[in-house]
Structure formats: structure tokens, C-alpha cells
Amino acid sequence: MTRVAIVKRSKCNPAKCDYLCIKLCPVNRTGGECITKGEDTKPYIEEDLCNGCGICTNRCPLEALDIVNLPEALKEPPIHRYGRNAFQLFNLPIPKPGKVIGIIGRNGIGKTTALNILSGNLIPQEGKEATIKRYSTSPLGDFFKKLYKNKIKLAYKPQRVEQIPENFNGKVKDLLKKVDEKNKLKEYTELLEIDKILDTNIKEISGGELQRVAIAAAALKDAQVIYFDEPSSYLDIKQRLKIAQFIRTLANENTAVIVVEHDLVTLDYMADLIHIVYGKPSVYGVISGLKSSRPGINTYLSGFLREENIRFRDKEIKFCTHAHSKQVETEEIAQWPKMQKKLGNFNLDIQQGSIRERQVVGILGSNGIGKTSFMKLLAGEIKPDQLEVDLKLKISYKPQYLKSESEETVEQLLKKETKEYNTKSYKAMIISPLEIDHILQKQVKTLSGGELQRVSIALCLSRGSDLILMDEPSAYLDIEQRLTLAKTINKVIETKEISALIIDHDLVFMDSLSQGLLVFEGEPAVKGILHKPLTMEDGMNKLLKELKITMRRDEENQRPRINKLASQMDKKQKKENKYYYS
């Protein structure tokens, strides 16, 4: 049995445990040297000597050790490892001209590492020549030959687009002119709806605008392979579908496209083929062989790779048909009044509406159309023109943009918010499903985007409240985390008999979560209009009709899917005026 041993060096602090792992290791106690002290004073684990007893991992007070048995089907060594007792990646995606290849998998499992290797930003540990030799019988062999001799041109849209302003100062058009090798700047900026911000400084544009600028910059290069790492982040539903259509047009006989994406609807809509990445986050990742889009996503949700005979998840992910179809009419707990709010040149017009007990209502609409402002009005963070809003409810609000300056640990922060912290029910309902167990001792200011998001959600759910308000809780979370979050929110709502309003752009997440919808209309940055709350079916019909798309459920697992434009099902649903699946 091959094992991988991980020492999380940022967590490990021998001064706090006096090398407890070295003292407890049964191999060490019988005279062997399985765990030893390294030059950096941190322990090192000799994987060949480790018997997998689990004593060191279970007893480590800082949860800094991980020892995992690798699947027996893995015959080849990893393509890359970040060092001794560090994360390792097995296999790589294969670029295919004319195809959009999607990559699906959890956070921290090697998707971005794979793109960095294929883009030449990261050289595998065995070196260039050995990598070419390793793949000599695969299309990747020829790819790496060209890559390392600079005979192949690449374009890469990075995951963290918010870092672009740190490295570039100037107008949007100046950045795009530098990379416009296709002479299509005007065409692409109009398609991506960023033509009106070309004279704006890159440091002054929003996250959604920055994402589309980064996508345009990658697309404008005359590249044979284009990589897009999470292109839907910061984008609303309309923009996601436009981006998906745009990315599909980039794949041709001379150009391959590879996309990492967590939004299942967007990924399914744009990808021809899928690579599944499985393993254990921060420990190891394995990239599967190619599968067609629908079977690939369904295989990922099932958790079982039939060809490899590998089960990588205990439970299959299935979707209800539906949480909101069995909705019961509950008591009204509050009303918000008809109100207006002027924010610079933007006008927000809110019609009267109500909140019902034990109900989760999703909020959908374009970016810049007033969703966040509406939530801030309800939370009391801003006031409407001419009147006061008091729902007479205890409100817990998770904003869209999160702050992480606190030097407190996650545990200290959560303990302040709830007296239930030490109860089994609290840990089972919030701590475990949100995967906060392993970051309790981390300082809040050191958390990653995904960790900070999960802690912010936990804080919001922990407070004693009648109404939960959350703005884009799925951001930075992977597919499994999003679906688990939907279940967690619904469980809290039922258990505490409270209500929630949730803004988000992931239709699969909203479909799993909501019993009703608020759909914003208007013109972004000019006017936003919100009418009364709608049922899930009426709200989705309204939204999808505006988008000119129809959706159905997958027969295998009931997940929401977009019908191909002008397909038989698309025409049928439009004729019946049923844009939303039943």
C-alpha cells in the first residue's frame, strides 16, 4: 500500500507539543526512524517506513499531520510534488484543439497546479527533459516539447483577478491594446460589455468588470492553448452565460481551451469534455481521463469512477425534486414598505414585500442593479429616502465583501457569537459541515478566501436572529461546499424556525436552497426595480425568459441543466411558456 504523508508546516509548531508525533510513533519506539526532526526543526515522515497506524495524525494537537493511503490504481509516480511531505499531483489534463475541456474538483486538489504546469509557470520536479520523456507516447509529449522550446503560444486567465490592479496601473484599453494580437479589441470588448469602461483606470473597476477584462486579455492573444481559471467569479447569471458562449467560440482547429469552473450550470453549458480531479484537498490530487460533459459531471456527482474502479466520495450527490415544490404556506413575520433609494446616478425602486417564517428566499438579478443595496436597507446599514425601515426582527447579516483584519482565532470569534459553541448539536450543524474543524486555531487575518467565507457564514448562522441576510455566500467555495452549504442553511432555518434572504448567482446553489425568489429588473448602474416575492417556479420562469434560455432536470440525478438553444426540448418549453423545469 502506497502512502502519502503530509506535514502542514504552517500549522506545525513543535514548541507547543515537544515533538509528540516523534515520541508516539510505534516505528520510532521500536528503534526505527519513521518520524525525524528536520533542519527547519519541523518533523519529517518517511513514507516508506510508515505503517499507517494513524496515531500521530490523531494525537497531533495542531492537526498538522495527514497520512493517506493512495488508490491502488495509481501506477505512475506523481507528476509534481511541492517538496518532501507536501501536496502531490498525479496526471495532467490534455489540451485538444477545437474543444473546450472542463476541469471539475474540490478546492486545494491541484486544478490550478495543473494549469501552472501546462502553462510553463511551474516545472515538474523531475525536470523538463524527464517530463517530455514521460509523455513521449501521449499527445502531451509533443505539447511539452513545443512548450519548453517556446514553439507554442499560450494565454492564461488567472484565478485571482483581483490581484491584476496590483501589477498594472493604467486605463483598461492600455492593458488590452498590449495583448491584442488578433486585432479584435473592439469586437471582444463589445461582446463582453466592457467597451464603456475602456477609458477607466484598471484600479477603479468592479470585480465583475475586472473578470471580463481578464477574459478579454486572454482571448485577444493569438494563442494555441487558452486557460481560464474560474471565469465565472464575480459575474452575474447573464454574464456567466455570455462568457460561456464567448469561451466556446474561442475553441477551433488551431486553438484548445481548458477551463476550471465551480458553477455546474456554466461548466455544463460551455465544456465539451471533462476531467475530474479527485483525492484529498492539500494532500494529493488525481486527474482522471477525459469524459463527455454530461457523463463527466454526473460521474463527479456520483463519486465513483467506473473505469478506474475508484470511489472518491462516500455519498452520491443528488438533487431534490424539489425542496420548494413541497413548500407550505407559513406565517408572515414581517413586511418591508414600498421605498426608494438614490445612490449617485442610480435609482432603486422597491415595492412592498413580506417575509414568512421558516422560508429561504433567493435574490437574483444582474450586477449593479440594487440587490446589495436592498439587503443593506433591510439590515439597517443604509436608510431609504424619506422613511425609516424597521422590520422589528433580530437580523444577522453577512456582507458581500469580507474583512479579515482580526488577530483573534476562528474559535475565539465563534465563541463570542454563540453560547452553543461547545454543544454537539452546534458542531454537527455548523462546524463540521462548513469544514471549520481544521481552521479553529488559525488567526482570522491569515485565512484564505474560501476559509474566510465559511467562517463568515458560520458567524452569520450562529447569531441569535429571526432573519438571516447573506450576500453571495457561494463565492470562493467549490461545488461540494456549495451544495453542503445549501443543506446547512436549510437545516438551520428549520431547526431555529427563522427565515433567510440570500443573494447569489449560482443557479444550482439557488435551486438547492430557495423556496421563493425576488427577481430584480432594470438597467445596471441606472435603475433597479424589485416587485413582490414570487414562487420559485414563477421567479425562475421570469428570469429565464429574460435570458432567452430554458432549463430541464438531468434524468440521472435531477441536477438543473440548460437546454441547447433551438433544441427540441428548448422549443417545446418555450412554446409551453415553461422556461423552468418542473
Side-chain angles (χ1 to χ4, degrees):
M1 178 70 71
T2 305
R3 295 186 180 89
V4 54
I6 301 294
V7 179
K8 298 166 187 170
R9 314 201 83 67
S10 59
K11 277 188 172 186
C12 180
N13 186 352
K16 289 189 175 182
C17 70
D18 194 25
Y19 297 100
L20 187 63
C21 56
I22 292 177
K23 293 176 181 177
L24 293 176
C25 176
V27 177
N28 284 13
R29 296 178 75 175
T30 55
E33 292 190 333
C34 179
I35 308 180
T36 57
K37 191 189 299 185
E39 291 181 4
D40 62 352
T41 74
K42 304 288 174 83
Y44 277 95
I45 301 172
E46 193 62 54
E47 290 162 339
D48 291 339
L49 295 178
C50 176
N51 62 16
C53 66
I55 293 173
C56 62
T57 56
N58 292 330
R59 295 288 300 276
C60 176
L62 301 174
E63 297 181 331
L65 306 179
D66 227 322
I67 296 174
V68 177
N69 293 331
L70 293 173
E72 291 183 11
L74 289 176
K75 306 297 183 186
E76 295 288 324
I79 180 64
H80 185 69
R81 191 167 195 178
Y82 282 98
R84 190 178 173 192
N85 293 158
F87 177 86
Q88 53 186 329
L89 177 69
F90 294 84
N91 307 335
L92 286 171
I94 303 172
K96 284 187 174 294
K99 300 292 183 184
V100 177
I101 308 292
I103 301 180
I104 184 173
R106 302 211 60 187
N107 284 334
I109 209 159
K111 302 184 303 296
T112 298
T113 295
L115 293 195
N116 279 328
I117 291 172
L118 291 178
S119 62
N121 294 329
L122 177 65
I123 305 299
Q125 64 189 52
E126 58 191 9
K128 294 180 179 181
E129 291 303 318
T131 301
I132 293 169
K133 185 177 179 181
R134 175 175 179 154
Y135 290 107
S136 59
T137 58
S138 155
L140 280 174
D142 188 50
F143 172 83
F144 278 116
K145 275 183 190 174
K146 291 177 181 176
L147 177 67
Y148 295 145
K149 292 179 179 178
N150 295 317
K151 290 184 177 179
I152 189 167
K153 197 154 193 179
L154 309 172
Y156 187 12
K157 198 291 293 178
Q159 180 185 28
R160 302 290 301 275
V161 294
E162 67 274 13
Q163 295 177 349
I164 293 173
E166 297 173 15
N167 302 309
F168 181 85
N169 185 27
K171 294 179 179 179
V172 171
K173 68 180 179 185
D174 296 332
L175 172 65
L176 296 180
K177 278 180 180 178
K178 282 185 178 181
V179 296
D180 184 15
E181 296 167 352
K182 295 179 180 176
N183 196 27
K184 289 191 174 184
L185 191 148
K186 187 175 187 297
E187 179 187 340
Y188 284 2
T189 54
E190 286 177 359
L191 274 170
L192 298 174
E193 297 178 348
I194 51 174
D195 49 315
K196 293 178 182 176
I197 61 164
L198 290 175
D199 288 315
T200 308
N201 191 291
I202 202 86
K203 297 182 185 297
E204 296 171 6
I205 62 177
S206 70
E209 290 167 339
L210 196 55
Q211 181 71 271
R212 284 174 285 155
V213 168
I215 290 168
L220 285 167
K221 291 182 180 176
D222 189 17
Q224 286 88 56
V225 186
I226 310 176
Y227 305 110
F228 293 98
D229 199 344
E230 297 188 32
S232 77
S233 302
Y234 302 105
L235 302 183
D236 62 42
I237 295 161
K238 291 181 187 176
Q239 292 165 347
R240 289 179 186 205
L241 297 180
K242 277 195 172 181
I243 288 299
Q245 290 169 338
F246 175 70
I247 287 174
R248 285 198 62 81
T249 67
L250 300 175
N252 56 47
E253 60 183 10
N254 298 313
T255 308
V257 176
I258 294 183
V259 182
V260 170
E261 184 53 70
H262 291 304
D263 183 327
L264 281 182
V265 169
T266 304
L267 181 67
D268 191 17
Y269 194 52
M270 84 172 104
D272 299 301
L273 301 163
I274 297 284
H275 280 290
I276 293 167
V277 191
Y278 64 93
K280 185 170 183 180
S282 302
V283 178
Y284 78 98
V286 184
I287 295 174
S288 77
L290 277 171
K291 303 177 187 302
S292 296
S293 178
R294 177 183 173 271
I297 292 175
N298 286 350
T299 296
Y300 179 76
L301 294 173
S302 76
F304 179 65
L305 286 160
R306 194 174 304 278
E307 294 86 350
E308 292 92 333
N309 194 27
I310 291 172
R311 178 160 292 284
F312 57 88
R313 193 188 311 107
D314 294 335
K315 292 181 181 178
E316 186 175 356
I317 296 173
K318 286 203 170 185
F319 298 82
C320 302
T321 59
H322 195 286
H324 42 72
S325 64
K326 60 185 180 187
Q327 147 185 13
V328 293
E329 195 76 3
T330 54
E331 183 183 344
E332 187 179 283
I333 59 170
Q335 282 190 353
W336 63 81
K338 178 180 169 66
M339 53 186 165
Q340 286 83 36
K341 180 67 179 177
K342 188 173 177 63
L343 297 157
N345 295 322
F346 177 74
N347 291 292
L348 181 58
D349 186 359
I350 307 292
Q351 300 301 307
Q352 182 180 318
S354 61
I355 300 161
R356 295 190 173 274
E357 188 180 57
R358 299 198 314 277
Q359 186 182 40
V360 180
V361 177
I363 301 177
L364 296 172
S366 301
N367 282 335
I369 208 163
K371 302 185 303 299
T372 295
S373 297
F374 168 66
M375 193 164 273
K376 286 182 176 179
L377 286 167
L378 297 186
E381 299 238 329
I382 59 175
K383 294 181 179 181
D385 303 335
Q386 301 174 333
L387 56 84
E388 294 284 334
V389 176
D390 184 6
L391 298 179
K392 294 183 170 58
L393 299 174
K394 289 181 183 175
I395 292 174
S396 181
Y397 172 49
K398 185 206 81 70
Q400 179 181 10
Y401 299 109
L402 311 173
K403 296 180 181 178
S404 59
E405 290 91 359
S406 174
E407 295 191 0
E408 291 179 296
T409 65
V410 171
E411 185 175 51
Q412 289 170 335
L413 203 59
L414 290 172
K415 276 184 175 178
K416 286 197 308 187
E417 293 297 337
T418 178
K419 294 176 182 176
E420 300 174 355
Y421 179 81
N422 289 315
T423 65
K424 286 184 179 178
S425 60
Y426 178 79
K427 288 177 180 175
M429 189 162 59
I430 293 177
I431 296 292
S432 293
L434 294 180
E435 299 175 337
I436 292 174
D437 321 54
H438 305 304
I439 58 172
L440 288 170
Q441 301 310 315
K442 289 183 77 171
Q443 284 186 306
V444 175
K445 68 178 185 180
T446 67
L447 299 177
S448 68
E451 290 169 342
L452 184 61
Q453 182 72 276
R454 299 198 310 274
V455 170
S456 300
I457 291 165
L459 285 170
C460 184
L461 295 175
S462 300
R463 301 181 188 116
S465 62
D466 306 306
L467 177 64
I468 287 168
L469 303 176
M470 288 193 191
D471 199 342
E472 297 197 31
S474 80
Y476 303 108
L477 304 186
D478 63 41
I479 296 160
E480 294 185 45
Q481 290 169 336
R482 292 178 187 194
L483 296 175
T484 300
L485 173 59
K487 290 179 184 176
T488 301
I489 292 173
N490 276 318
K491 182 81 179 288
V492 170
I493 297 304
E494 281 297 316
T495 304
K496 295 188 175 183
E497 297 186 347
I498 58 177
S499 307
L501 296 180
I502 314 282
I503 297 171
D504 213 275
H505 297 299
D506 185 328
L507 288 180
V508 171
F509 173 68
M510 293 301 257
D511 178 82
S512 303
L513 180 72
S514 310
Q515 290 101 42
L517 283 180
L518 289 165
V519 181
F520 274 75
E521 298 176 319
E523 185 181 347
V526 179
K527 185 175 182 64
I529 304 164
L530 178 62
H531 298 291
K532 66 179 182 179
L534 302 167
T535 65
M536 190 70 181
E537 186 172 356
D538 290 344
M540 286 297 288
N541 264 321
K542 185 182 181 74
L543 177 76
L544 297 177
K545 194 169 186 177
E546 186 184 345
L547 294 173
K548 296 184 175 67
I549 60 171
T550 58
M551 297 188 78
R552 71 187 187 283
R553 289 194 174 279
D554 190 272
E555 294 176 2
E556 193 171 318
N557 50 36
Q558 304 302 310
R559 68 181 168 92
R561 299 188 69 201
I562 296 175
N563 292 316
K564 288 185 178 179
L565 288 174
S567 67
Q568 190 175 347
M569 184 65 75
D570 183 56
K571 288 177 181 176
K572 180 176 181 289
Q573 286 184 227
K574 284 176 178 173
K575 186 177 180 181
E576 295 172 353
N577 204 32
K578 290 184 177 179
Y579 287 70
Y580 180 56
Y581 36 80
S582 56

